[in-house]
Amino acid sequence: MSTALVAPAAVADPPPADPTPAGPTAAAERRGAELEELIRREPGRFRVLTGDRPTGRLHLGHYFGTLQNRVRLQRLGVELFLIIPDYQVLTDRDVAERLSEHVEGLLLDYLAAGVDPEQAVIFNHSAVPELNQLLLPFLSLVSVAELGRNPTVKDEIAHSRQSAVSGLMFTYPVHQAADILFCRANLVPVGRDQLPHIELTRTIARRFNDRYAADRPLFPEPEALLSAAPLLLGTDGGKMSKSRGNAIALAADADETAQLIRGAKTDADRRISYDPAARPEVSSLVLLAALCQDRDPHQVAAEIGDGGAAALKRTVTEAVNGYLAPLRARRAELSGDRGELRRILRAGNERARAVAESTLDQVRAAMGTVF
Ligand code: TRP
C-alpha cells in the first residue's frame, strides 16, 4: 500500500487485530467470510462448479465438509455445476477398473444428499468433448516447470502406488482448469489441497485473456471457497479416508455404521469432554454426534458425562443412524431405478455440452481458428 493512504497519526489507531496468519490458505479463509456475505445478498451473481473424483462411496467427512454446503448454496439460489471427473481417476488404475459403478454411486450420493438435478447440472467431463478440447490451448499456456512444481500433484505422486507417473497425472490440474472455465464458473468450493489447482486456473484464465482476448476478457478468474471442513477423524483416529476402511459411508447400513463406531478408537478417561487438541479421537466422535443433532459439541459431551466410551458410542450411533435414515432411504429408492439415473446424467451431460460448445466457439473466434 502506498504511504499516502496511511491514516494520519491524529486518528486513533484501531485495537490491534489478532496476528493475521499468512499464506494462501489464510487468505482464502478471510475471503470466504466476504464471499458468504456476497452470496447471501446476490446469489444470482455466482456460478459454482465443483465435484468429486468417482473413487468410491462418499463418507461423513465429505458430507459435513462439502456436500451439505453445496446443497445449502443451491437452496440459496446459486447456480450449481457438479462435475464427475471420470478422466481424472484414470491416474489410478484400481479405481478406473470400477469406473461406471463409482460414477453411479457418486450420483446417488449427490441426489440422496439433496442436490436437485433439475437445477444443478450434474455431468461427466468425459462426456463433454468441447470441454476437453480446451485442454490444448490451456496446455500451451503453462510451462512444464510449473506443472512439476504443483505441491498437490507432487504429494499424490509420492503416495501413488504406481511405478511410473503418467502424463495425465502431471496435466490433470490443467484439465481441472478446463472443468472450471468451460462454464465460466466464478466460485469453486474445494478443500485446501485443491488451492494450487484454483491458482493455476486463475493463471490460465489471465494468460488466455491477455494473449487472445485483451479487449474483452473471455474467462473470469474464479475464486476458491474453502469448505470449513470440520475436524472429523476416521474411526482409527487417523485421517478419514475411503481407502483406509475407517470412514462411515453415507450408503452404509445401520449395522455397518454401528459396527464401525463400536470399533472406534477412544481413550482411557471415562469422563467425556470436547477437547480436540488433547483428546482428538473422543472429540471427533462427540463432534460427529453434535453435527448430526445440530447441537453444540460441549453440550453433547456434558450430557454423556461419566458414561465412558460405551455411552459415547451409543449416542454417536443413534445420532448418525437417525440423521442418515432419510438420506439412506432416498438413496435406496433411487438406486432401484437405474434408468432414471442414466436419464439424469444424460440430461446433465447435454446441458454441460451446450455450454461447452458456446465457450469453445468463442475461444476459437478469439484465437482466430474458425475455419
Ligand atoms: N481434483 C479434484 C479432486 O481431486 C476433483 C476435481 C476435478 C474438481 N475437476 C474439478 C474439483 C473441478 C473442483 C473443480 O478432488
Side-chain angles (χ1 to χ4, degrees):
M1 195 195 280
S2 120
T3 45
L5 294 176
V6 171
V11 177
D13 283 336
D18 290 338
T20 332
T25 300
E29 269 165 8
R30 281 195 301 275
R31 178 71 179 137
E34 285 168 25
L35 283 169
E36 283 297 336
E37 183 54 37
L38 291 171
I39 292 166
R40 252 190 307 278
R41 253 188 278 149
E42 278 184 277
R45 265 186 50 196
F46 293 93
R47 176 175 277 183
V48 158
L49 181 132
T50 190
D52 307 275
R53 302 178 187 207
T55 56
R57 308 190 297 179
L58 293 185
H59 54 62
L60 283 170
H62 296 120
Y63 182 80
F64 287 115
T66 57
L67 207 42
Q68 196 185 41
N69 192 40
R70 295 176 198 169
V71 175
R72 182 184 68 91
L73 289 171
Q74 178 168 51
R75 290 185 181 148
L76 283 173
V78 172
E79 203 180 0
L80 190 60
F81 278 67
L82 273 188
I83 186 163
I84 303 181
D86 45 355
Y87 272 140
Q88 192 190 323
V89 299
L90 297 184
T91 54
D92 179 342
R93 185 122 128 259
D94 300 344
V95 170
E97 272 162 19
R98 297 168 62 192
L99 199 49
S100 66
E101 180 193 325
H102 289 325
V103 167
E104 197 167 282
L106 198 53
L107 178 60
L108 277 170
D109 284 334
Y110 287 165
L111 299 174
V115 173
D116 173 3
E118 295 299 320
Q119 288 180 43
V121 179
I122 310 175
F123 69 104
N124 302 93
H125 61 182
S126 71
V128 186
E130 294 79 5
L131 179 162
N132 293 299
Q133 191 167 330
L134 293 176
L135 203 52
L136 296 173
F138 287 2
L139 276 170
S140 77
L141 296 170
V142 295
S143 69
V144 172
E146 276 174 308
L147 294 176
R149 269 200 301 271
N150 186 305
T152 299
V153 174
K154 274 188 163 137
D155 194 55
E156 280 165 322
I157 289 172
H159 289 97
S160 95
R161 289 154 293 169
Q162 249 118 81
S163 49
V165 178
S166 72
L168 187 61
M169 179 64 109
F170 266 112
T171 52
Y172 93 75
V174 184
H175 201 171
Q176 185 156 339
D179 294 342
I180 296 167
L181 294 177
F182 94 93
C183 68
R184 295 186 169 95
N186 52 7
L187 202 57
V188 190
V190 281
R192 282 164 224 289
D193 64 315
Q194 298 292 304
L195 289 179
H197 303 348
I198 309 303
E199 211 37 59
L200 180 70
T201 302
R202 293 167 63 84
T203 301
I204 288 173
R206 205 162 43 236
R207 288 182 188 163
F208 186 95
N209 290 339
D210 285 350
R211 186 174 301 180
Y212 299 111
D215 310 337
R216 215 151 58 92
L218 201 90
F219 293 115
E221 285 184 45
E223 290 192 75
L225 182 64
L226 265 196
S227 19
L231 202 63
L232 284 180
L233 301 176
T235 49
D236 57 0
K239 182 178 183 288
M240 193 186 283
S241 154
K242 331 185 201 197
S243 57
R244 298 188 197 189
N246 66 0
I248 300 164
L250 298 179
D253 62 26
D255 288 343
E256 192 184 339
T257 302
Q259 206 181 335
L260 262 168
I261 296 173
R262 213 176 303 125
K265 191 170 169 205
T266 52
D267 59 38
D269 189 349
R270 279 197 66 79
R271 179 155 198 88
I272 300 305
S273 59
Y274 182 64
D275 183 355
R279 304 179 74 187
E281 298 91 357
V282 163
S283 299
S284 174
L285 287 168
V286 170
L287 177 61
L288 182 50
L291 286 167
C292 290
Q293 297 173 338
D294 198 12
R295 290 175 64 198
D296 177 55
H298 293 283
Q299 215 181 344
V300 172
E303 226 168 76
I304 302 168
D306 288 322
L312 170 62
K313 289 178 179 180
R314 254 193 323 274
T315 301
V316 177
T317 304
E318 273 169 31
V320 172
N321 281 337
Y323 183 79
L324 289 182
L327 187 154
R328 285 169 171 168
R330 219 161 31 239
R331 198 181 190 284
E333 195 185 312
L334 290 161
S335 70
D337 192 348
R338 303 186 74 186
E340 172 68 359
L341 291 176
R342 197 144 314 149
R343 193 195 62 75
I344 289 173
L345 210 47
R346 228 176 256 152
N349 286 337
E350 262 169 42
R351 284 164 73 193
R353 206 164 168 196
V355 174
E357 268 171 18
S358 153
T359 302
L360 184 61
D361 281 348
Q362 293 170 61
V363 163
R364 282 204 182 110
M367 295 178 68
T369 53
V370 180
F371 301 110

